mmCIF file of all heavy atoms in Angstrom:
data_model
loop_
_atom_site.group_PDB
_atom_site.id
_atom_site.type_symbol
_atom_site.label_atom_id
_atom_site.label_comp_id
_atom_site.label_asym_id
_atom_site.label_seq_id
_atom_site.Cartn_x
_atom_site.Cartn_y
_atom_site.Cartn_z
ATOM 1 N N GLY A 71 -7.871 -18.934 2.285
ATOM 2 C CA GLY A 71 -7.520 -17.799 1.509
ATOM 3 C C GLY A 71 -6.103 -17.266 1.797
ATOM 4 O O GLY A 71 -5.503 -17.711 2.811
ATOM 5 N N TYR A 72 -5.565 -16.348 1.027
ATOM 6 C CA TYR A 72 -4.167 -15.990 1.150
ATOM 7 C C TYR A 72 -3.998 -14.483 0.912
ATOM 8 O O TYR A 72 -4.666 -13.870 0.039
ATOM 9 C CB TYR A 72 -3.269 -16.613 -0.012
ATOM 10 C CG TYR A 72 -3.362 -18.163 0.172
ATOM 11 C CD1 TYR A 72 -4.348 -18.841 -0.486
ATOM 12 C CD2 TYR A 72 -2.422 -18.772 0.913
ATOM 13 C CE1 TYR A 72 -4.460 -20.272 -0.308
ATOM 14 C CE2 TYR A 72 -2.475 -20.207 0.944
ATOM 15 C CZ TYR A 72 -3.479 -20.878 0.362
ATOM 16 O OH TYR A 72 -3.524 -22.289 0.487
ATOM 17 N N VAL A 73 -3.105 -13.933 1.687
ATOM 18 C CA VAL A 73 -2.646 -12.508 1.447
ATOM 19 C C VAL A 73 -1.127 -12.633 1.186
ATOM 20 O O VAL A 73 -0.415 -13.319 1.809
ATOM 21 C CB VAL A 73 -2.828 -11.692 2.867
ATOM 22 C CG1 VAL A 73 -2.113 -10.296 2.757
ATOM 23 C CG2 VAL A 73 -4.361 -11.601 3.123
ATOM 24 N N ILE A 74 -0.863 -11.752 0.082
ATOM 25 C CA ILE A 74 0.662 -11.653 -0.222
ATOM 26 C C ILE A 74 1.030 -10.288 0.305
ATOM 27 O O ILE A 74 0.665 -9.138 -0.192
ATOM 28 C CB ILE A 74 0.822 -11.695 -1.727
ATOM 29 C CG1 ILE A 74 0.361 -13.098 -2.287
ATOM 30 C CG2 ILE A 74 2.307 -11.452 -2.027
ATOM 31 C CD1 ILE A 74 0.590 -13.333 -3.746
ATOM 32 N N ALA A 75 1.851 -10.426 1.396
ATOM 33 C CA ALA A 75 2.092 -9.278 2.226
ATOM 34 C C ALA A 75 3.455 -8.563 1.753
ATOM 35 O O ALA A 75 4.430 -8.394 2.651
ATOM 36 C CB ALA A 75 2.187 -9.552 3.695
ATOM 37 N N CYS A 76 3.488 -8.158 0.525
ATOM 38 C CA CYS A 76 4.601 -7.292 0.102
ATOM 39 C C CYS A 76 3.989 -6.357 -0.962
ATOM 40 O O CYS A 76 3.208 -6.821 -1.787
ATOM 41 C CB CYS A 76 5.708 -8.136 -0.595
ATOM 42 S SG CYS A 76 6.903 -7.155 -1.420
ATOM 43 N N PHE A 77 4.416 -5.078 -0.935
ATOM 44 C CA PHE A 77 3.713 -4.146 -1.655
ATOM 45 C C PHE A 77 3.916 -4.220 -3.199
ATOM 46 O O PHE A 77 3.208 -3.606 -3.977
ATOM 47 C CB PHE A 77 4.056 -2.716 -1.275
ATOM 48 C CG PHE A 77 3.037 -1.690 -1.585
ATOM 49 C CD1 PHE A 77 1.913 -1.524 -0.831
ATOM 50 C CD2 PHE A 77 3.182 -0.873 -2.714
ATOM 51 C CE1 PHE A 77 1.007 -0.617 -1.141
ATOM 52 C CE2 PHE A 77 2.324 0.100 -3.071
ATOM 53 C CZ PHE A 77 1.076 0.255 -2.346
ATOM 54 N N GLY A 78 4.877 -5.062 -3.611
ATOM 55 C CA GLY A 78 5.025 -5.204 -5.105
ATOM 56 C C GLY A 78 4.007 -6.357 -5.578
ATOM 57 O O GLY A 78 4.010 -6.684 -6.753
ATOM 58 N N ASP A 79 3.201 -6.996 -4.572
ATOM 59 C CA ASP A 79 2.360 -8.024 -4.937
ATOM 60 C C ASP A 79 3.017 -9.116 -5.768
ATOM 61 O O ASP A 79 2.474 -9.492 -6.884
ATOM 62 C CB ASP A 79 1.014 -7.535 -5.651
ATOM 63 C CG ASP A 79 0.201 -6.663 -4.720
ATOM 64 O OD1 ASP A 79 0.489 -6.598 -3.507
ATOM 65 O OD2 ASP A 79 -0.794 -6.126 -5.260
ATOM 66 N N PRO A 80 4.163 -9.557 -5.382
ATOM 67 C CA PRO A 80 4.859 -10.529 -6.235
ATOM 68 C C PRO A 80 4.181 -11.860 -6.330
ATOM 69 O O PRO A 80 3.523 -12.390 -5.316
ATOM 70 C CB PRO A 80 6.259 -10.778 -5.537
ATOM 71 C CG PRO A 80 5.911 -10.400 -4.114
ATOM 72 C CD PRO A 80 5.004 -9.343 -4.100
ATOM 73 N N GLY A 81 4.189 -12.392 -7.563
ATOM 74 C CA GLY A 81 3.601 -13.740 -7.710
ATOM 75 C C GLY A 81 2.078 -13.875 -7.538
ATOM 76 O O GLY A 81 1.569 -14.933 -7.572
ATOM 77 N N LEU A 82 1.400 -12.760 -7.598
ATOM 78 C CA LEU A 82 -0.003 -12.789 -7.338
ATOM 79 C C LEU A 82 -0.781 -13.555 -8.412
ATOM 80 O O LEU A 82 -1.629 -14.492 -7.974
ATOM 81 C CB LEU A 82 -0.564 -11.350 -7.336
ATOM 82 C CG LEU A 82 -2.048 -11.120 -7.070
ATOM 83 C CD1 LEU A 82 -2.447 -11.699 -5.763
ATOM 84 C CD2 LEU A 82 -2.475 -9.733 -7.100
ATOM 85 N N ASP A 83 -0.575 -13.505 -9.698
ATOM 86 C CA ASP A 83 -1.421 -14.280 -10.617
ATOM 87 C C ASP A 83 -1.021 -15.730 -10.574
ATOM 88 O O ASP A 83 -1.913 -16.593 -10.580
ATOM 89 C CB ASP A 83 -1.080 -13.650 -12.075
ATOM 90 C CG ASP A 83 -1.761 -12.325 -12.269
ATOM 91 O OD1 ASP A 83 -2.773 -12.116 -11.621
ATOM 92 O OD2 ASP A 83 -1.212 -11.658 -13.084
ATOM 93 N N ALA A 84 0.269 -16.029 -10.379
ATOM 94 C CA ALA A 84 0.694 -17.407 -10.180
ATOM 95 C C ALA A 84 0.051 -18.026 -8.904
ATOM 96 O O ALA A 84 -0.389 -19.233 -9.008
ATOM 97 C CB ALA A 84 2.179 -17.605 -10.107
ATOM 98 N N ALA A 85 0.022 -17.347 -7.886
ATOM 99 C CA ALA A 85 -0.637 -17.820 -6.671
ATOM 100 C C ALA A 85 -2.068 -18.118 -6.827
ATOM 101 O O ALA A 85 -2.634 -19.106 -6.330
ATOM 102 C CB ALA A 85 -0.457 -16.736 -5.488
ATOM 103 N N ARG A 86 -2.759 -17.228 -7.667
ATOM 104 C CA ARG A 86 -4.168 -17.437 -8.015
ATOM 105 C C ARG A 86 -4.327 -18.706 -8.748
ATOM 106 O O ARG A 86 -5.417 -19.428 -8.637
ATOM 107 C CB ARG A 86 -4.731 -16.364 -8.745
ATOM 108 C CG ARG A 86 -4.975 -15.103 -7.765
ATOM 109 C CD ARG A 86 -5.635 -13.775 -8.432
ATOM 110 N NE ARG A 86 -6.039 -12.920 -7.404
ATOM 111 C CZ ARG A 86 -5.928 -11.645 -7.510
ATOM 112 N NH1 ARG A 86 -5.596 -11.125 -8.637
ATOM 113 N NH2 ARG A 86 -6.325 -10.750 -6.503
ATOM 114 N N GLU A 87 -3.427 -19.083 -9.609
ATOM 115 C CA GLU A 87 -3.522 -20.431 -10.264
ATOM 116 C C GLU A 87 -3.349 -21.612 -9.428
ATOM 117 O O GLU A 87 -4.034 -22.641 -9.663
ATOM 118 C CB GLU A 87 -2.419 -20.554 -11.374
ATOM 119 C CG GLU A 87 -2.637 -19.529 -12.560
ATOM 120 C CD GLU A 87 -1.408 -19.665 -13.503
ATOM 121 O OE1 GLU A 87 -0.340 -20.105 -13.165
ATOM 122 O OE2 GLU A 87 -1.564 -19.298 -14.751
ATOM 123 N N LEU A 88 -2.730 -21.436 -8.311
ATOM 124 C CA LEU A 88 -2.458 -22.589 -7.396
ATOM 125 C C LEU A 88 -3.418 -22.785 -6.320
ATOM 126 O O LEU A 88 -3.735 -23.843 -5.847
ATOM 127 C CB LEU A 88 -1.001 -22.533 -6.693
ATOM 128 C CG LEU A 88 0.159 -22.699 -7.529
ATOM 129 C CD1 LEU A 88 1.351 -22.707 -6.411
ATOM 130 C CD2 LEU A 88 0.094 -24.016 -8.239
ATOM 131 N N ALA A 89 -4.036 -21.637 -5.858
ATOM 132 C CA ALA A 89 -4.850 -21.642 -4.567
ATOM 133 C C ALA A 89 -6.364 -21.878 -4.987
ATOM 134 O O ALA A 89 -6.826 -21.411 -5.886
ATOM 135 C CB ALA A 89 -4.724 -20.317 -3.932
ATOM 136 N N GLY A 90 -7.016 -22.699 -4.133
ATOM 137 C CA GLY A 90 -8.374 -22.814 -4.301
ATOM 138 C C GLY A 90 -9.195 -21.655 -3.902
ATOM 139 O O GLY A 90 -10.178 -21.338 -4.484
ATOM 140 N N GLY A 91 -8.804 -20.977 -2.894
ATOM 141 C CA GLY A 91 -9.539 -19.735 -2.419
ATOM 142 C C GLY A 91 -8.877 -18.548 -2.965
ATOM 143 O O GLY A 91 -7.958 -18.552 -3.702
ATOM 144 N N PRO A 92 -9.455 -17.361 -2.479
ATOM 145 C CA PRO A 92 -9.029 -16.075 -2.961
ATOM 146 C C PRO A 92 -7.548 -15.719 -2.541
ATOM 147 O O PRO A 92 -7.129 -16.112 -1.504
ATOM 148 C CB PRO A 92 -10.041 -15.045 -2.444
ATOM 149 C CG PRO A 92 -10.739 -15.849 -1.228
ATOM 150 C CD PRO A 92 -10.580 -17.224 -1.513
ATOM 151 N N VAL A 93 -6.874 -15.018 -3.351
ATOM 152 C CA VAL A 93 -5.581 -14.508 -3.054
ATOM 153 C C VAL A 93 -5.578 -13.037 -3.226
ATOM 154 O O VAL A 93 -6.002 -12.595 -4.371
ATOM 155 C CB VAL A 93 -4.545 -15.097 -3.918
ATOM 156 C CG1 VAL A 93 -3.039 -14.666 -3.432
ATOM 157 C CG2 VAL A 93 -4.514 -16.615 -3.966
#
Side-chain angles (χ1 to χ4, degrees):
Y72 300 85
V73 168
I74 298 182
C76 170
F77 202 80
D79 291 355
L82 180 59
D83 288 335
R86 285 184 171 144
E87 290 178 336
L88 284 191
V93 186

